Amino acid sequence: MSNNKVVVIGGGYAGALAANHLRMRADVDITLVNPRPEFVERVRLHQFVAGTGQATVDYGTLLGEGVRLAVDSAAVIDTVARTVLLASGRSLDYDYLIYAVGSTATIPPSVPGAAEFAYGIAEFESAQRLRTRLEELPLDAPITVVGGGLTGIETTAELTEQGRAVTLVCGRSLAPSFSPSGRRAVARWLSRHGVAVLEDAMVSEVRPDALGFADGAARTSALTIWAGGFGAPELAAASGLQTDELGRLLTDETLTSIDDDRIVAAGDAAAPSGQPLRMSCYAAGPLGAQAANTVLSRIAGTEPAVIDLAFSGACVSLGRRIAIRQIARKDDTAMNAYVGGRIGAAIKEFTCRFAVTRIRREASEPGSAMWLKGGPRLEQPASAVRGV
């Protein structure tokens, strides 16, 4: 009997763990497609940009024996022929496909000059360009970070701790996913370190040396960093698969595409039941394992399990010595409690290290991945959801 061919598109936290998890069966041929030859720790890109840390890991230390790495990009998925056409012109046949393409930065085209003059930080290549530009600027050059979420806060704090003069434009509120006490803790740190925080301020234009605001004001900015949210690659939509408004693949609660039961999504690129989980490293690993379990169940002819993942909170680093660990309920709603200071920083560093360690352990012990369970998200069974 021939082996089952499984192609995993995307080698981030979800895809790399899924590829290793698939090795629970010996009769599975696994190919991991990724555009870069190294694994990118996205949660450390702000460190890479500031020069306080690295953000890449050798795949040779992460992938289990038998997982083939194809350094290439997927151009289109042919669901009829069950092939993935790669940017190089090659194609890969598959019996099952795990769609783990992750997320991308979103720089809105509706803001004049943003695409031309603002720098993203959500992907390694844009982070490289940003780091190079920073090295060209004098230390006192005014820098603006647009986006009051966790990525914007971490980038602001990292650069501020390096002696940079940074303004943080929140759009609406600072750290909107945090509790009031957590937001106050972040605001206190930024204030003590001289960061100008602009809440309820909307950028209307980005220029090479300044920003324009919706109220008509302008502000000098030698460098603008855009950290205003995430989107998803267009691969699924370009391949004729149904997606949500951000481009995430629409799936049922087993992470199976509502269009094709040979395609299973994981991580930031999945929108189960049209109600996606928070884009995060925290969710990516467990969703990668669950996507792999869905594929393994279909190969075995058994019913796949539905998503079973509980959240516990989120971390934001404030430089290298301080962090805030926001405590959350299992449904990811923030409680009015947090852990801060050096203990918070220790928790944040452990979380970042664990995300990579879990992938590495899965390579040596397929099926070892564990995560906090919260029970099925929906009352109705997955089969009913898929029928909608």
Side-chain angles (χ1 to χ4, degrees):
M1 180 181 294
S2 61
N3 284 357
N4 294 279
K5 297 178 181 179
V6 181
V7 172
V8 181
I9 304 178
Y13 295 103
L17 196 138
N20 285 338
H21 197 82
L22 287 167
R23 296 170 59 248
M24 291 177 65
R25 282 187 68 115
D27 61 344
V28 178
D29 287 335
I30 309 159
T31 301
L32 177 66
V33 179
N34 195 69
R36 308 172 191 89
E38 292 180 303
F39 176 87
V40 175
E41 291 188 80
R42 289 184 65 181
V43 294
R44 296 194 187 276
L45 284 177
H46 61 288
Q47 292 180 250
F48 172 74
V49 163
T52 59
Q54 295 300 312
T56 56
V57 180
D58 184 357
Y59 272 118
T61 71
L62 291 182
L63 300 179
E65 184 178 354
V67 177
R68 290 185 295 274
L69 176 65
V71 181
D72 213 326
S73 297
V76 68
I77 303 166
D78 186 334
T79 59
V80 177
R82 291 184 194 157
T83 61
V84 179
L85 178 64
L86 304 178
S88 64
R90 294 191 301 148
S91 64
L92 297 172
D93 298 333
Y94 68 85
D95 295 303
Y96 292 93
L97 183 145
I98 293 181
Y99 188 81
V101 296
S103 54
T104 61
T106 54
I107 299 180
S110 59
V111 178
E116 293 85 356
F117 305 120
Y119 288 76
I121 193 172
E123 297 167 80
F124 186 67
E125 289 76 15
S126 57
Q128 283 181 309
R129 292 191 292 270
L130 175 54
R131 177 169 170 159
T132 299
R133 178 60 181 140
L134 274 168
E135 291 170 348
E136 298 169 351
L137 291 177
L139 198 61
D140 61 351
I143 295 171
T144 305
V145 177
V146 180
L150 304 189
T151 301
I153 292 167
E154 290 192 325
T155 303
T156 297
E158 205 75 27
L159 294 177
T160 299
E161 202 170 69
Q162 298 306 302
R164 297 284 183 178
V166 187
T167 296
L168 177 61
V169 180
C170 298
R172 292 181 177 83
S173 61
L174 178 70
S177 62
F178 274 24
S179 65
S181 60
R183 288 197 294 272
R184 287 193 294 269
V186 173
R188 284 195 298 269
W189 189 97
L190 294 173
S191 177
R192 285 199 306 269
H193 289 78
V195 177
V197 178
L198 307 182
E199 295 192 81
D200 295 317
M202 303 296 292
V203 174
S204 61
E205 182 184 7
V206 179
R207 306 166 196 157
D209 56 358
L211 290 177
F213 291 85
D215 62 0
R219 194 178 188 96
T220 300
S221 179
L223 171 65
T224 298
I225 302 170
W226 202 278
F230 297 95
E234 298 177 352
L235 176 61
S239 302
L241 297 166
Q242 294 183 69
T243 65
D244 70 0
E245 66 280 359
L246 247 60
R248 293 170 290 209
L249 183 67
L250 288 176
T251 76
D252 66 13
E253 287 294 298
T254 72
L255 298 173
T256 303
S257 165
I258 62 173
D259 298 309
D260 190 331
D261 61 11
R262 297 280 180 153
I263 297 177
V264 182
D268 290 355
S273 304
Q275 303 174 56
L277 287 79
R278 170 165 54 90
M279 290 182 172
S280 62
C281 166
Y282 179 94
L287 290 178
Q290 293 207 204
N293 280 338
T294 293
V295 170
L296 294 175
S297 292
R298 296 199 182 282
I299 291 173
T302 59
E303 184 66 23
V306 299
I307 296 170
D308 190 355
L309 170 64
F311 284 84
S312 62
C315 293
V316 63
S317 63
L318 300 171
R320 291 296 86 219
R321 295 180 293 275
I322 302 295
I324 303 297
R325 167 65 176 182
Q326 172 65 58
I327 309 302
R329 300 177 180 85
K330 289 184 177 183
D331 65 357
D332 204 27
T333 57
M335 301 172 65
N336 200 26
Y338 70 90
V339 178
R342 293 183 179 273
I343 296 177
I347 295 172
K348 173 66 189 292
E349 180 59 23
F350 171 81
T351 302
C352 293
R353 289 177 181 270
F354 177 70
V356 175
T357 300
R358 177 161 56 186
I359 297 171
R360 190 170 284 132
R361 183 182 177 190
E362 194 71 19
S364 59
E365 300 177 51
S368 63
M370 300 178 66
W371 57 91
L372 185 64
K373 305 297 196 299
R377 302 192 310 154
L378 302 177
E379 293 183 5
Q380 61 188 116
S383 57
V385 176
R386 277 184 53 77
V388 174

